[in-house]
Amino acid sequence: MGQKSIEIFRACTPLFQALSDSYRQDIIVLLAEKEPLTVNEITEHLTLSRPAVSHHLKILRDQKLVSLEQKGTQRFYSLELDHAAALLKELVGTIENHCE
């Protein structure tokens, strides 16, 4: 594999780390089923505290897996998978082209 392939793998590392946590996986599935939701609404469905849910949402936002929309005093979270999907498609394409 060339340098470009290694760079793509490394670019995916933070995404894989964000997706590796079971609570973040639960949040993603919950948002897929019921988006958009507030932190309080997400907390109602999990066994985590509100600060813990906020922490996990920040990690997901940092990796562009969720988006945030402010409506008055409410903050609503929704899935935002375009960036992650494009990055993973690029990784799969690189693997297919260089690992035959």
Side-chain angles (χ1 to χ4, degrees):
M1 260 197 256
Q3 184 64 30
K4 176 77 172 156
S5 299
I6 292 169
E7 289 172 8
I8 294 169
F9 264 110
R10 290 191 178 138
C12 288
T13 299
L15 176 62
F16 292 144
Q17 289 171 334
L19 293 172
S20 69
D21 184 90
S22 61
Y23 290 116
R24 290 191 284 271
Q25 293 167 10
D26 291 344
I27 291 169
I28 288 170
V29 169
L30 183 61
L31 289 173
E33 295 172 348
K34 301 177 184 243
E35 73 172 335
L37 295 172
T38 65
V39 174
N40 289 334
E41 291 169 331
I42 294 168
T43 302
E44 290 172 6
H45 291 89
L46 302 175
T47 59
L48 295 172
S49 67
R50 187 183 184 287
V53 170
S54 292
H55 168 75
H56 287 294
L57 285 167
K58 180 186 182 322
I59 292 169
L60 293 171
R61 269 193 353 254
D62 289 347
Q63 294 309 309
K64 301 176 184 166
L65 291 164
V66 298
S67 61
L68 173 64
E69 182 180 355
Q70 186 89 24
K71 291 183 181 176
T73 59
Q74 298 281 349
R75 298 171 66 158
F76 290 91
Y77 292 87
S78 299
L79 281 181
E80 186 65 45
L81 300 176
D82 293 341
H83 173 74
L87 193 57
L88 293 173
K89 285 178 185 177
E90 186 176 4
L91 177 62
V92 169
T94 299
I95 292 170
E96 288 176 342
N97 291 332
H98 293 98
C99 297
E100 293 182 21

